[in-house]
Amino acid sequence: MPAPQLSSLTRNDITGLILAGGRGSRMGGLDKGLMQLHALPQAQWLAQQLQRQTAGVMISANRHILTYQSFGFPVVQDADDAFAGPLAGILAALKCCPTPLLLITPCDTPEVHPELATMLLDSLQQSNRQLSYIRAISKTDESRDHPGFALLDRELADSLETYLANGQRRVLQWFREQNAAVCCVPDHISFHNLNTPEAVEAFRKG
């Protein structure tokens, strides 16, 4: 059966992926996906939010696997225990993704935009590319790339596997090599990461 046309794809053709497979080095080794911000472990809360936007959700994790599995979502592990960064988790997910598109988010974002999937899908379809990621624009026209929020065609698995096999790990570099589209949106807390204990504490205090 031929692959569906990009223009015909909808949210039902997207699987969400929570990236929780890192070492948590800047968090003193804590597993960021398990920190509680909304009376739930963060990865579980985010998965529930993404579930509203997609056909299903997976979690990328390399530690505390049984805990992550208890959240009720499929857990995907890297091919090895090298902790090769987010691209390794994305590759593992692309290889088993049941839908044409994979939506990725970091596990340490305190919120997820309710229209994230739609915004990135629109960007993908308008540009006719295989990959699109978020760029936030502030009120002063300053921009910041957020490659942790992206939508990818699962057919990119081979390209990503080759990139990693060559010892490369930089996310934005690989995105640019794929001629990725950029989805420009107003700056919002949804695209911020809490990757230090101080940032987590500040968010909890409001």
Side-chain angles (χ1 to χ4, degrees):
M1 179 182 295
Q5 292 293 317
L6 177 60
S7 60
S8 69
L9 299 183
T10 68
R11 288 184 178 191
N12 292 328
D13 298 297
I14 299 173
T15 296
L17 178 69
I18 310 296
L19 291 168
R23 294 183 186 272
S25 300
R26 284 181 285 183
M27 291 289 290
L30 295 177
D31 194 326
K32 291 187 289 186
L34 301 182
M35 66 182 181
Q36 298 216 359
L37 291 178
H38 305 274
L40 285 174
Q42 182 66 357
Q44 183 180 13
W45 182 84
L46 281 170
Q48 291 177 357
Q49 308 312 304
L50 281 192
Q51 196 173 33
R52 301 172 184 174
Q53 304 187 33
T54 63
V57 178
M58 298 185 288
I59 298 174
S60 166
N62 294 305
R63 301 184 291 164
H64 309 116
I65 304 303
L66 292 179
T67 301
Y68 280 110
Q69 289 174 338
S70 73
F71 299 162
F73 301 93
V75 176
V76 182
Q77 295 179 250
D78 293 359
D80 54 43
D81 58 0
F83 287 89
L87 288 180
I90 293 170
L91 176 60
L94 286 174
K95 286 187 171 183
C96 64
C97 185
T99 57
L101 300 174
L102 182 71
L103 173 70
I104 63 169
T105 69
C107 70
D108 58 357
T109 181
E111 297 182 3
V112 61
H113 197 290
E115 296 298 323
L116 179 64
T118 297
M119 292 188 301
L120 285 167
L121 180 59
D122 287 347
S123 174
L124 213 64
Q125 291 172 328
Q126 290 172 15
S127 63
N128 197 31
R129 310 274 177 88
Q130 289 184 292
L131 198 163
S132 181
Y133 68 94
I134 291 290
R135 175 176 292 161
I137 310 296
S138 72
K139 293 181 179 179
T140 58
D141 290 331
E142 295 179 354
S143 65
R144 181 179 178 184
D145 288 331
H146 292 278
F149 301 90
L151 186 64
L152 302 86
D153 190 318
R154 66 181 172 190
E155 294 184 359
L156 289 174
D158 288 346
S159 169
L160 180 51
E161 188 164 33
T162 299
Y163 182 78
L164 289 171
N166 289 333
Q168 302 296 322
R169 295 188 181 183
R170 294 182 180 178
V171 178
L172 266 179
Q173 177 179 312
W174 182 70
F175 280 13
R176 289 165 179 155
E177 288 182 8
Q178 308 314 306
N179 196 26
V182 178
C183 179
C184 293
V185 298
D187 189 45
H188 190 279
I189 193 172
S190 299
F191 308 114
H192 295 178
N193 298 84
L194 303 180
N195 50 27
T196 66
E198 293 77 16
V200 173
E201 188 60 27
F203 179 81
R204 286 173 174 162
K205 290 180 178 178

